[in-house]
Amino acid sequence: FLRNIFDKPSYREGQLSIICNALNRNHTIGLLPTGAGKSLCYQLSSMLQPGVSFIISPLKSLMFDQKENLDAAFISNTNYISSDQSSEERATIQKKFGEGKYLFVWISPERLQIKTFREYLSTVNSKFNIVYAVIDEVHCLSEWGHDFRTSYLNLARTIKKYCPEAKYLGLTAT
């Protein structure tokens, strides 16, 4: 799969154990150096599970870059929801995610503070198993959540309430 999907000859140190742990449906924290392929860990894991996933990303630029990289690899059934999009675009992407047309979507932590989005996740979870709740740059949750972006404070509780079967996959270099 690594070679066929991502055109990579081998896993980098630490990637395989993160992927195996996630595929075994365990909550997983992945700590890898910058540039060591953390994104591949959640992307491959998500592709190999029946269901859909969402990735909480603190920066729009990370969402854009990761989507662009996957598109370049001909993996086009992913998307992101951001404030840069019109409300119509966000609604269309959200609807397609709910129909199972995207393997995963990137969202900001603030999106989970929107009541209608949380309820929508619950509906999606009832139709398509939400496999992973990926928290990219997970150090934001514990290290800075209380004063960096308060939306990180309730992530775990919100995810557990609206997507109770989702496994956490947290990734960071910090």
Side-chain angles (χ1 to χ4, degrees):
F1 290 111
L2 182 68
R3 190 168 305 201
N4 289 335
I5 297 172
F6 292 98
D7 197 29
K8 305 279 184 194
S10 61
Y11 292 99
R12 293 180 180 170
E13 187 175 339
Q15 285 180 318
L16 190 56
S17 61
I18 293 168
I19 293 167
C20 287
N21 203 47
L23 289 175
N24 281 319
R25 302 287 292 134
N26 296 313
H27 297 298
T28 304
I29 296 287
L31 178 62
L32 295 174
T34 300
K38 292 178 290 297
S39 299
L40 182 132
C41 295
Y42 77 75
Q43 292 167 357
L44 185 58
S45 297
S46 296
M47 289 178 190
L48 295 176
Q49 289 286 349
V52 296
S53 300
F54 60 89
I55 299 95
I56 298 165
S57 182
L59 300 170
K60 289 187 273 187
S61 62
L62 288 174
M63 294 180 198
F64 303 156
D65 289 349
Q66 291 177 17
K67 169 76 174 130
E68 189 174 271
N69 290 339
L70 287 173
D71 286 346
F74 303 104
I75 301 167
S76 59
N77 55 344
T78 67
N79 217 323
Y80 58 84
I81 300 173
S82 85
S83 60
D84 288 351
Q85 298 160 323
S86 70
S87 60
E88 292 82 20
E89 287 174 304
R90 290 191 302 267
T92 299
I93 293 165
Q94 187 172 305
K95 181 179 182 289
K96 287 182 178 181
F97 179 63
E99 294 169 348
K101 293 187 178 165
Y102 296 126
L103 289 173
F104 49 83
V105 295
W106 290 271
I107 59 173
S108 69
E110 288 79 13
R111 181 130 321 260
L112 288 173
Q113 292 182 307
I114 301 168
K115 183 180 181 187
T116 55
F117 186 79
R118 292 191 310 259
E119 291 168 350
Y120 184 75
L121 271 184
S122 186
T123 302
V124 171
N125 192 53
S126 68
K127 288 175 27 182
F128 302 96
N129 183 33
I130 293 182
V131 183
Y132 299 113
V134 178
I135 305 172
D136 199 8
E137 306 297 344
V138 74
H139 63 276
C140 295
L141 184 70
S142 63
E143 186 174 342
W144 297 321
H146 62 286
D147 60 1
F148 168 58
R149 288 178 58 184
T150 56
S151 55
Y152 277 97
L153 293 175
N154 294 314
L155 279 183
R157 186 174 349 151
T158 301
I159 292 166
K160 187 173 183 173
K161 180 176 180 180
Y162 293 93
C163 309
E165 300 301 315
K167 296 300 179 184
Y168 296 100
L169 179 50
L171 299 159
T172 187
T174 303

